[in-house]
Amino acid sequence: MYAQENKGEAGLDQGDAADRLTRLWVANHEDVTRFVARRLDSALVDDAVSETFLVAWRRLEDVPDDARPWLFGVARNVVATRTRSEGRWRALGVRMARQPVEVSPSADDVAIDRLELEDAWLRLTAGEREVIALVAWDGLTTEQAARVLGLRPSTFSVRLTRARRHLVEVLDAMAHRQPVPSRKV
Amino acid sequence: MHSPVMKAVAELDPARGLRSPGTPHDAALEAILHTRRRVPLHTRAARPALVSAGLAVAAGVAIVVASPWSTPTAFATWTRVPSQVTSALPAGLAGECAPVTRWVDDDAPGLPIVEVPVRPVLTEVRGDYTYVVQAGEDAWSECLATVGAAPGAWDVVENAARLPEPLDEDLPAADDVLTYQLGTTSWTSGAAGAGALTSAFGRAGSDVTAIEVILEDGATAQASVDGGWWAVWAPGAEALTGEARLTLRDGSRRDVTLEVRTTH
């Protein structure tokens, strides 16, 4: 992460601005691309990423030192807008079933079945998937994730706790279901 | 992230193997660097302006950019309870909030502009500010107006979005609400500098008589509810927490989380 110095508009000439955006691009392009790819049709990812950095370019003075949550917040709005406008939303994790994933036994030696986890994931609400994904997939701290959603950290923590609890409850319910039916994936 | 479940979820990340490093020589970066940094502000009057509107027009969509670090410097007369709620547009504001939204239709030949008419469905007043929600078949717009510097003039900012399906296709249950918009808009107001507001609106079920939203400072604000619609806005970039309490026709109350609907 590059340390950034916030300057007023008058103090950031075109050369400085170009240099700063270039550093933002190099430092964050891959993370922003992954963030968008998790949430949007693959055909739209590149455009959405460019649009995100275009917003950053036009609002460089607003980009904080910790730029990644800010960029994710912008990207989230770009994705939401394209979703509402074009109807190409891909719910978080809808493509998981096609991913080759190895899930190791957890620390308490209780193996979590991959297919059951996928199934449970898709039973969560979009909001629950969002808060979990920001931490588990996007690698944000609670405070950073709260910034992405425009929430207080305490509010985000409550939502994350609820979402995790719901996920565990769904997994528990599956574990107790007898007999286990064949599951569409 | 010490939870075993969270670790297992992390391993399901569909973008885990995606590699897309950015370099200083990327063509997409070059294209951005060759654009103007400051876009013309989209405003009917000289002062308040929706910062993101220029980009929205270019992309054919509306964008409200989250700006959690802005500091509200305006809206001094804003009130937690609206002083007026109506479905009609104030006479002086007629024509200021655009009755048509325009969209770029990539599939259309020639001039690919699609016009979607919208009409006022809810108007509320807080202090010097009038906030109007408009809706059309598959589009909505929001319009915030305050009296301008010149006599009889209004300063107006607008935001709009088009949805993939008609608005009436999905309505909330009688004891629930549907959220179309929950986001932050940055704007400027003359020499006062940049400010930000958070707005939210949507449809209200037939049994919902009042909505109280929780603000970032822990206080509450009363949303407007009228004709099956609800709306609220507050100064600040993260003014609304997304938590709300509905009051139903039978006097009972119900806590909900406001979330913009998505299509799956």
Side-chain angles (χ1 to χ4, degrees):
Chain A
M1 187 67 62
Y2 289 88
Q4 310 282 337
E5 181 184 358
N6 279 324
K7 298 178 181 179
E9 184 178 2
L12 201 59
D13 63 25
Q14 190 75 3
D16 290 341
D19 181 57
R20 184 167 184 208
L21 185 78
T22 300
R23 284 184 285 133
L24 283 173
W25 178 276
V26 171
N28 297 286
H29 184 271
E30 186 162 275
D31 286 340
V32 173
T33 302
R34 286 179 179 165
F35 180 91
V36 173
R38 292 176 183 118
R39 294 160 173 83
L40 198 61
D41 188 291
S42 58
L44 303 173
V45 169
D46 287 347
D47 282 352
V49 171
S50 289
E51 202 167 306
T52 299
F53 281 97
L54 182 60
V55 172
W57 172 239
R58 289 174 173 168
R59 298 182 55 199
L60 273 177
E61 291 77 11
D62 295 333
V63 182
D65 290 351
D66 186 8
R68 196 164 60 122
W70 190 93
L71 289 167
F72 284 3
V74 173
R76 183 170 180 269
N77 281 288
V78 170
V79 168
T81 301
R82 285 175 176 256
T83 296
R84 290 196 290 269
S85 306
E86 305 179 32
R88 296 182 183 177
W89 172 258
R90 290 236 174 167
L92 281 165
V94 83
R95 291 173 293 160
M96 285 197 312
R98 296 199 291 271
Q99 305 298 318
V101 176
E102 296 294 333
V103 179
S104 305
S106 58
D108 55 2
D109 294 330
V110 177
I112 299 174
D113 181 84
R114 189 194 80 178
L115 297 181
E116 288 197 344
L117 184 58
E118 290 177 2
D119 205 353
W121 178 257
L122 294 175
R123 289 168 191 257
L124 300 183
T125 67
E128 289 170 337
R129 287 197 293 265
E130 178 80 270
V131 294
I132 292 177
L134 285 169
V135 175
W137 292 355
D138 299 309
L140 299 177
T141 65
T142 297
E143 189 170 325
Q144 290 173 323
R147 279 188 229 159
V148 174
L149 299 181
L151 300 173
R152 286 180 297 176
S154 57
T155 303
F156 179 87
S157 293
V158 169
R159 289 192 188 180
L160 178 61
T161 300
R162 286 180 188 160
R164 283 168 48 181
R165 187 187 304 141
H166 187 202
L167 180 59
V168 170
E169 287 170 356
V170 173
L171 285 168
D172 286 346
M174 289 176 170
H176 289 93
R177 196 168 52 196
Q178 296 293 337
V180 178
S182 59
R183 188 175 300 117
K184 292 173 66 177
V185 293
Chain B
M1 192 172 64
H2 302 298
S3 158
V5 171
M6 291 291 277
K7 286 180 180 175
V9 170
E11 292 189 55
L12 296 175
D13 179 4
R16 190 171 54 158
L18 179 63
R19 296 288 176 268
S20 184
T23 76
H25 310 294
D26 289 345
L29 173 62
E30 287 293 318
I32 294 171
L33 293 176
H34 281 90
T35 63
R36 288 180 58 193
R37 284 196 58 222
R38 289 285 163 179
V39 296
L41 299 179
H42 176 71
T43 174
R44 290 169 179 270
R47 295 192 297 167
L50 187 62
V51 171
S52 58
L55 180 62
V57 171
V61 296
I63 295 172
V64 178
V65 178
S67 175
W69 298 273
S70 299
T71 302
T73 56
F75 319 119
T77 61
W78 177 86
T79 58
R80 295 184 188 278
V81 178
S83 59
Q84 295 178 42
V85 179
T86 173
S87 59
L89 203 61
L93 202 51
E96 296 292 341
C97 297
V100 171
T101 60
R102 293 179 174 82
W103 310 95
V104 175
D105 184 349
D106 294 333
D107 298 327
L111 189 63
I113 302 298
V114 175
E115 293 190 345
V116 180
V118 290
R119 62 177 181 78
V121 293
L122 194 153
T123 297
E124 63 152 44
V125 177
R126 296 177 193 267
D128 295 334
Y129 304 92
T130 300
Y131 178 65
V132 181
V133 175
Q134 302 194 103
E137 182 184 3
D138 61 350
W140 54 253
S141 70
E142 55 181 342
C143 177
L144 184 73
T146 188
V147 175
W154 290 81
D155 289 340
V156 177
V157 293
E158 293 180 271
N159 176 42
R162 194 174 179 203
L163 284 78
E165 68 276 337
L167 285 176
D168 289 339
E169 192 163 284
D170 188 14
L171 296 173
D175 65 346
D176 203 358
V177 293
L178 198 61
T179 303
Y180 291 141
Q181 161 71 343
L182 174 57
T184 301
T185 298
S186 293
W187 69 318
T188 56
S189 182
L197 64 92
T198 311
S199 63
F201 66 84
R203 306 295 275 270
S206 56
D207 287 346
V208 177
T209 59
I211 302 173
E212 199 173 56
V213 297
I214 312 299
L215 303 179
E216 192 273 340
D217 62 4
T220 61
Q222 183 178 316
S224 302
V225 181
D226 188 68
W229 289 80
W230 67 272
V232 65
W233 70 274
E238 47 182 327
L240 304 181
T241 63
E243 305 299 327
R245 172 165 291 183
L246 312 183
T247 300
L248 305 180
R249 194 173 302 281
D250 63 3
S252 62
R253 293 187 170 182
R254 179 166 174 259
D255 292 336
V256 298
T257 299
L258 304 174
E259 291 181 316
V260 175
R261 71 173 188 173
T262 55
T263 55
H264 295 268

